[in-house]
Amino acid sequence: MASTADIKNGVVLSIDGQLWNVIEFQHVKPGKGGAFVRTKLKNVVSGKVVDRTYNAGAKIEIESVDRRDFTYLYADGDGFVFMDSSDYDQLTVGAATVGDAKNFLLENQQVTIALNNGNPLYIDLPASVILEVTYTEPGLQGDRSSAGTKPATVETGYEMQVPLFVETGTKIKVDTRTGEYLGREK
């Protein structure tokens, strides 16, 4: 057991049998009354974000989370196979754990997987990835008052909005957190 003094960003807490990642925390010492810790927690499995307040010195349960580098190998049915970069062991991660990250996974891509007692919790991707546009309609210049966008499909099968000048075969930079177009790759 630990106390609220051990709370830091990135720490994983066990609350009522569920794992919660600390996104933000703030120690508050009001002029009147006891000190407390205000936290913003994100559920590791569902992604739900909640605010929670603890009295200073309250006992909390901190879980050990091992973040290791893996290389994405291939998709296998409902699972995704990764290889540990340090000992070359393979790990199959379920589609529910991978979540929206599947839209940006390319073979041989480096990712970080958070493990708790050998069970994968979530996958951290780089902030942006380079993907090739496999299909998009030709853009028409002219009949609009501002810059327009059009749908495009990238090599992972993900469909997104891109500017009209992007053509099939263009390599683009995509934000992995929002799925938005960031620019063309030179």
Side-chain angles (χ1 to χ4, degrees):
M1 288 299 243
S3 74
T4 54
D6 299 317
I7 292 179
K8 293 178 180 43
N9 288 345
V11 168
V12 176
L13 306 177
S14 177
I15 303 170
D16 300 330
Q18 294 186 336
L19 298 177
W20 296 83
N21 195 4
V22 177
I23 299 172
E24 294 177 16
F25 75 99
Q26 180 181 21
H27 289 278
V28 180
K29 175 83 173 88
K32 187 175 184 181
F36 58 92
V37 179
R38 188 177 296 137
T39 62
K40 185 177 280 192
L41 305 172
K42 180 178 181 181
N43 189 307
V44 170
V45 177
S46 68
K48 179 180 174 184
V49 177
V50 297
D51 293 323
R52 190 141 184 186
T53 303
Y54 296 96
N55 290 330
K59 297 295 180 198
I60 56 173
E61 193 174 339
I62 294 181
E63 286 289 326
S64 65
V65 174
D66 183 22
R67 291 175 175 84
R68 295 197 312 217
D69 291 332
F70 283 80
T71 303
Y72 173 63
L73 298 178
Y74 57 91
D76 182 25
D78 284 342
F80 294 81
V81 180
F82 295 87
M83 180 181 65
D84 191 331
S85 300
S86 61
D87 60 9
Y88 305 108
D89 282 345
Q90 291 188 3
L91 173 71
T92 301
V93 179
T97 304
V98 173
D100 290 339
K102 72 177 182 292
N103 296 327
F104 311 108
L105 280 175
L106 291 173
E107 290 183 6
N108 298 321
Q109 182 177 1
Q110 296 295 317
V111 299
T112 302
I113 300 180
L115 301 166
N116 173 257
N117 299 328
N119 298 323
L121 300 175
Y122 58 88
I123 294 177
D124 279 337
L125 292 173
S128 64
V129 292
I130 307 299
L131 298 172
E132 185 176 334
V133 175
T134 56
Y135 177 77
T136 187
E137 295 286 334
L140 297 175
Q141 298 291 343
D143 60 350
R144 65 185 189 284
S145 60
S146 64
T149 61
K150 62 183 179 179
T153 305
V154 293
E155 58 189 305
T156 60
Y158 180 64
E159 192 167 302
M160 58 183 293
Q161 293 293 318
V162 297
L164 292 174
F165 58 81
V166 173
E167 299 172 355
T168 301
T170 305
K171 289 196 179 282
I172 59 173
K173 189 180 243 183
V174 180
D175 187 330
T176 58
R177 296 164 298 210
T178 62
E180 294 178 355
Y181 169 85
L182 293 176
R184 285 187 290 190
E185 184 60 22
K186 280 116 180 116

